Amino acid sequence: TFTDNQGDPATQARYRINGVFDTGTNVLENFENLLSCCDSWMAYDAAKGQWSIVVNKAESTALAFDDTNIIGEITVGTIDINQSVNQIEAKFPNSLNKDLPDYVYLETPSNLLYPNEPVNKYTITYDLVNDSVTSQYLANRILEQNREDLTVTINTTYVGIQVNAGDVISVTNSAYGWNQKLFRAMQVREVSLPDGTLGATLQLIEYNAAVYDDKDITEFTPAPNSGLVSSQYFSPLTAPDVTDQQPSAAVPSFSVRCLMPTTGRITSVTLY
């Protein structure tokens, strides 16, 4: 849902691909370009031995992990504050302006920034998105996701191999004060555990369902490039206003003497 440029409520598909592929670019790059325009990414499914598409959307909890199936240490980290995006500029071809480049610019509200957080602007191009509504939606999702900066790595028993990249899991650990805290699996790898059995290593990032709420979006219409009318358009012609004015001053005159070729005589002629 969004507000159209007339101020009325409207709806459209959450993701729609509208653009052209460059056939001179390799398939993988084109595919990644397509996925970025629908907030998705590729991940390798170790269980199936195939690549798969992960759609970044709200999910229910797939599995729960606690001291009974977590083996060894829990590695916790955070995304460097210098890499945390707080401003974003999204470029897209605007269908309302003959697919000429247009921009969406968003920034994180100041009350959500960390103390002394530096400006970190992120620029992205959505070649296959041609409307401002989808561009705003995608750009805002990136900003909100970057506020969730906690990353965790855990080793689990073989039950962890059931987790696929993109799944949401819960982690309970008293040392960190986590009670079914939600994380999204970014990568799943099969590993050999110290006792010789097989297990899995999960790389996780903090999950917050609020990231996937629909933000209030208002469609905008680009201003015209100039005030010039079309070269193929002529405005209606108006009748000309003609004023008949006669000269009021005396008509100047002077006389000259000339030789008449027919008679050979000199004659005086007055010119006006």
Side-chain angles (χ1 to χ4, degrees), residues 116 170 172:
N116 302 317
S170 68
T172 300

Side-chain angles (χ1 to χ4, degrees), residues 13-223:
R14 189 178 302 274
Y15 305 118
R16 178 179 288 126
I17 300 304
N18 286 302
V20 201
F21 280 123
D22 180 3
T23 55
T25 304
N26 64 67
V27 174
L28 181 60
E29 187 174 339
N30 273 331
F31 195 62
E32 290 176 341
N33 185 18
L34 185 152
L35 291 177
S36 71
C37 293
C38 53
D39 197 20
S40 304
W41 72 90
M42 280 195 305
Y44 186 74
D45 189 333
K48 296 179 181 179
Q50 296 177 338
W51 289 93
S52 61
I53 298 173
V54 179
V55 181
N56 189 20
K57 60 184 178 68
E59 299 280 4
S60 56
T61 306
L63 287 172
F65 292 89
D66 52 29
D67 293 340
T68 63
N69 50 18
I70 295 178
I71 300 174
E73 64 182 5
I74 298 177
T75 304
V76 178
T78 58
I79 299 175
D80 187 354
I81 192 173
N82 293 308
Q83 298 178 353
S84 182
V85 176
N86 48 37
Q87 295 182 4
I88 184 168
E89 181 182 81
K91 179 181 177 182
F92 67 100
N94 196 332
S95 61
L96 299 179
N97 196 20
K98 298 182 179 180
D99 283 342
L100 292 175
D102 216 330
Y103 296 87
V104 165
Y105 177 80
L106 299 173
E107 60 181 33
T108 303
S110 58
N111 63 313
L112 296 180
L113 298 177
Y114 297 112
N116 302 317
E117 181 176 344
V119 172
N120 189 14
K121 182 179 177 180
Y122 178 64
T123 302
I124 188 170
T125 300
Y126 295 122
D127 290 328
L128 304 178
V129 173
N130 65 351
D131 70 272
S132 65
V133 174
T134 305
S135 299
Q136 290 180 71
Y137 180 83
L138 291 168
N140 183 72
R141 179 74 65 81
I142 293 176
L143 277 186
E144 292 194 12
Q145 184 66 63
N146 271 264
R147 292 295 98 189
E148 307 298 330
D149 59 354
L150 181 64
T151 60
V152 172
T153 301
I154 61 174
N155 294 317
T156 76
T157 60
Y158 196 71
V159 68
I161 205 67
Q162 302 177 56
V163 178
N164 295 317
D167 286 349
V168 175
I169 66 168
S170 68
V171 178
T172 300
N173 183 271
S174 57
Y176 288 103
W178 297 340
N179 182 19
Q180 295 186 341
K181 182 173 178 59
L182 298 182
F183 293 90
R184 185 185 288 276
M186 303 301 293
Q187 187 182 58
V188 181
R189 292 186 297 112
E190 187 178 274
V191 296
S192 178
L193 299 176
D195 61 0
T197 60
L198 291 177
T201 295
L202 309 181
Q203 293 184 5
L204 313 171
I205 189 169
E206 192 172 14
Y207 172 85
N208 187 346
V211 170
Y212 306 97
D213 291 342
D214 291 340
K215 177 183 176 293
D216 293 335
I217 296 176
T218 300
E219 179 186 30
F220 66 84
T221 302

Side-chain angles (χ1 to χ4, degrees), residues 2-11 217-219:
F2 66 98
T3 303
D4 65 17
N5 52 27
Q6 303 298 319
D8 299 322
T11 59
I217 296 176
T218 300
E219 179 186 30

